[in-house]
Amino acid sequence: MTSHPEQSAVTVLGLGPMGRALAGAFLDAGLRTTVWNRTPGREEELVERGAVGVLSPEEAVAASGLTVVCVVNHDAVDAIVRRGPVTDALKGRTVVSLTADTPDRARNTATWAAEHGIEYLDGAIMTPTTTIGTPGAVFLHSGPADLYRRHRPVLDALGGTHTHLAEDIGRAAAYDIALLDIFWTAMTGYAHALAVARAEGVTARELAPFAKGIGTILPPLFEQLAEDVDSGRFSGENNPITSAASSMAHIVHAAEAHGIDASVMRAAEGLARRAIGQGHGTDGFLRITEIMSP
Ligand code: NDP
């Protein structure tokens, strides 16, 4: 690692599974890594590997020019950094929050940081803890580009791909929310599919290989249909929304025949039916993006 002092030391606040993975990657990269967690004890393995464990967050942030905070949400970020001694110790230093929350919370933290002479970048981690320190990790960043450039050598120690999206501090959280929307909606769909399959005597293990096949259909569709949404023209040539609504109705009927809660699929079918009711029956399914928007 470079010998520039700003790039040879880092502090990690928050030692949940992700915070521990980040601190571990910094250690592996040879950075002087100071760690703190609200509940003591979680730093032990990191300290054995060479991290400096400290008793207070003010001590932790004073140890490095760059502090990475990775906790459950921005309420927790606030609880740690918006206390006199910590705020004072952070003055003139940089905070990178790799904490998931809404774009507005990121903007709020940035306003607070600016008011207290603290430089701030916001980021989102899009991959699990096991990817940290490997080429598979994906990080999104937003905030001042020159600040990002300055700290990029340290952030690179986390491995993977780092993308600076925009100066707008809320942009990383906006991507995070949108991408997690896909993930959790898909996982809810998978849970529902498994419940319906089980009621029909099909085990999760039996369905899984075919479920994977459905998963592979999606990535090319994401690319192809992006143009529809951006242009506001929803071609339903090969798969009109009327056909999607009919398919969804079958799922609702099959699930409810087994007494399975079909409220998620009912909501999706409802959006498709509203699109049809408004004269868009021959459009493609993503017309519902317009139907659900104000
Ligand atoms: P959690 O989201 O469960 O966060 C746990 C951490 O938050 C602990 O350090 C905990 O401290 C701290 N914390 C919670 N409330 C407070 C509080 N009021 N004051 C101070 N500290 C608090 O675990 P992860 O480490 O997995 O996630 C951290 C962030 O990383 C989250 O925003 C998550 O969405 C994101 N992320 C996680 C991924 C993963 O695979 N785990 C993947 C991608 C992103 P304590 O130990 O004292 O409770």
Side-chain angles (χ1 to χ4, degrees):
M1 207 73 208
T2 167
S3 59
H4 190 288
E6 195 173 60
Q7 297 172 356
S8 60
V10 65
T11 288
V12 178
L13 301 179
L15 300 175
M18 186 52 88
R20 289 200 300 275
L22 300 176
F26 286 135
L27 282 172
D28 288 344
L31 287 154
R32 188 162 58 80
T33 307
T34 303
V35 294
W36 174 85
N37 190 62
R38 177 184 62 172
T39 307
R42 287 191 164 182
E43 74 291 350
E44 278 166 12
E45 196 219 325
L46 292 162
V47 169
E48 274 168 27
R49 290 169 59 191
V52 180
V54 293
L55 293 175
S56 71
E58 48 270 39
E59 219 183 314
V61 304
S64 316
L66 174 66
T67 289
V68 173
V69 54
C70 184
V71 285
V72 64
N73 55 31
H74 270 255
D75 282 341
V77 174
D78 289 354
I80 297 168
V81 300
R82 298 198 194 196
R83 285 192 313 108
V86 185
T87 306
D88 290 346
L90 278 170
K91 198 170 162 56
R93 300 176 198 269
T94 302
V95 174
V96 176
S97 171
L98 295 176
T99 298
D101 211 316
T102 64
D104 279 349
R105 291 306 298 264
R107 293 186 186 109
N108 185 281
T109 302
T111 302
W112 166 85
E115 285 167 0
H116 292 85
I118 299 163
E119 297 195 280
Y120 182 67
L121 286 168
D122 199 76
I125 307 169
M126 302 318 311
T127 49
T129 54
T130 47
T131 64
I132 305 303
T134 78
V138 176
F139 298 88
L140 304 177
H141 302 276
S142 51
D146 57 337
L147 186 62
Y148 172 71
R149 266 193 300 276
R150 234 165 67 210
H151 293 290
R152 178 74 198 260
V154 173
L155 295 171
D156 273 342
L158 297 173
T161 312
H162 293 259
T163 306
H164 180 256
L165 297 167
E167 294 257 338
D168 169 16
I169 197 77
R171 193 62 61 85
Y175 273 61
D176 190 38
I177 291 289
L179 296 171
L180 290 177
D181 195 344
I182 299 170
F183 182 75
W184 287 118
T185 310
M187 289 300 282
T188 306
Y190 188 42
H192 195 260
L194 294 179
V196 176
R198 183 173 57 195
E200 287 288 341
V202 180
T203 66
R205 195 173 287 278
E206 287 169 326
L207 194 71
F210 298 93
K212 272 169 70 180
I214 290 289
T216 62
I217 296 171
L218 294 175
L221 275 179
F222 290 164
E223 295 273 8
Q224 285 162 29
L225 300 179
E227 182 56 29
D228 284 19
V229 176
D230 286 345
S231 68
R233 286 188 299 275
F234 301 90
S235 162
E237 204 178 332
N238 297 318
N239 199 354
I241 201 163
T242 45
S243 163
S246 165
S247 162
M248 291 171 156
H250 299 152
I251 299 165
V252 169
H253 295 153
E256 290 182 349
H258 287 293
I260 294 168
D261 185 328
S263 53
V264 173
M265 187 52 70
R266 269 196 178 279
E269 186 196 348
L271 290 165
R273 300 268 175 225
R274 268 165 59 197
I276 295 164
Q278 291 177 25
H280 301 297
T282 57
D283 280 3
F285 183 67
L286 286 196
R287 166 61 70 181
I288 70 165
T289 310
E290 302 296 315
I291 300 296
M292 64 177 72
S293 299

